[in-house]
Amino acid sequence: TVQWKNQQVPIPMFGIASQATNETFGKDTNQAAEGVLYQGVSGPGVAVTPKSVPFAEAFKKKFGNYPSYAGYTAYDEVYYIADAVKRAGSTDADKLVAALETTDWEGTIGRVQFYGKDDPFTHSIKYGKGLITGLMLQWQAGKQSAVWPKEVAKVDIKFPSFIKLSN
């Protein structure tokens, strides 16, 4: 990221970058992160669900910065796994797997459901409308801002002046 900015590489910096999901990324790169686009599951001020913003604000109050993607997912995992244990009435692996297969949990990153053992994507998490879909964020003015989907976008995409976009 720092080399991209210092060398004024004329293409957008875009992708999945765990470092970019951390609130310290701007500071860690001496603000070279400006204009970086990344895929995430949530972000500061983004109400993916009614649980997203309260969780992020409580996290920041306790730890001094907003959570990275791992903070949102780990928080949700604790709760839907605890719920599955309760529904299974056990921590027995087979009973727990059966309970997880019927999970329908709304967390900070969306609704969590899993495919069953006979599905093509055995036990993978389901994605799609009404479920976890992800979003795009961009570093602007030293902060992470949602730019897509439009339902949660806070700003329009804006690139540094050295980026050359074709029509």
Side-chain angles (χ1 to χ4, degrees), residues 74-161:
Y75 180 82
D76 288 352
E77 289 162 353
V78 167
Y79 284 97
Y80 69 69
I81 290 170
D83 178 66
V85 169
K86 183 177 179 181
R87 287 184 290 111
S90 172
T91 56
D92 173 76
D94 291 333
K95 291 178 183 177
L96 187 53
V97 166
L100 283 167
E101 289 175 340
T102 63
T103 293
D104 188 3
W105 181 264
E106 184 178 74
T108 63
I109 63 172
R111 172 165 264 115
V112 177
Q113 296 175 348
F114 297 96
Y115 288 103
K117 64 182 176 187
D118 298 323
D119 288 314
F121 303 105
T122 305
H123 296 145
S124 182
I125 199 163
K126 292 181 180 180
Y127 297 93
K129 188 154 182 72
L131 301 168
I132 295 172
T133 57
L135 53 130
M136 294 301 300
L137 298 104
Q138 185 179 42
W139 279 88
Q140 291 188 13
K143 297 178 183 174
Q144 302 155 293
S145 298
V147 295
W148 182 89
K150 65 181 178 183
E151 297 85 357
V152 297
K154 303 287 185 192
V155 297
D156 291 328
I157 294 174
K158 180 180 173 186
F159 291 110
S161 61

Side-chain angles (χ1 to χ4, degrees), residues 20-91:
T21 71
N22 193 311
E23 188 185 21
T24 64
F25 187 59
K27 180 180 64 105
D28 294 345
T29 62
N30 297 318
Q31 304 312 320
E34 192 68 17
V36 170
L37 274 164
Y38 67 94
Q39 187 273 329
V41 291
S42 195
V46 182
V48 175
T49 74
K51 295 178 180 179
S52 309
V53 173
F55 163 69
E57 293 302 326
F59 189 99
K60 181 169 179 120
K61 184 176 180 183
K62 184 169 185 171
F63 298 107
N65 59 287
Y66 288 109
S68 71
Y69 80 95
Y72 293 96
T73 56
Y75 180 82
D76 288 352
E77 289 162 353
V78 167
Y79 284 97
Y80 69 69
I81 290 170
D83 178 66
V85 169
K86 183 177 179 181
R87 287 184 290 111
S90 172
T91 56

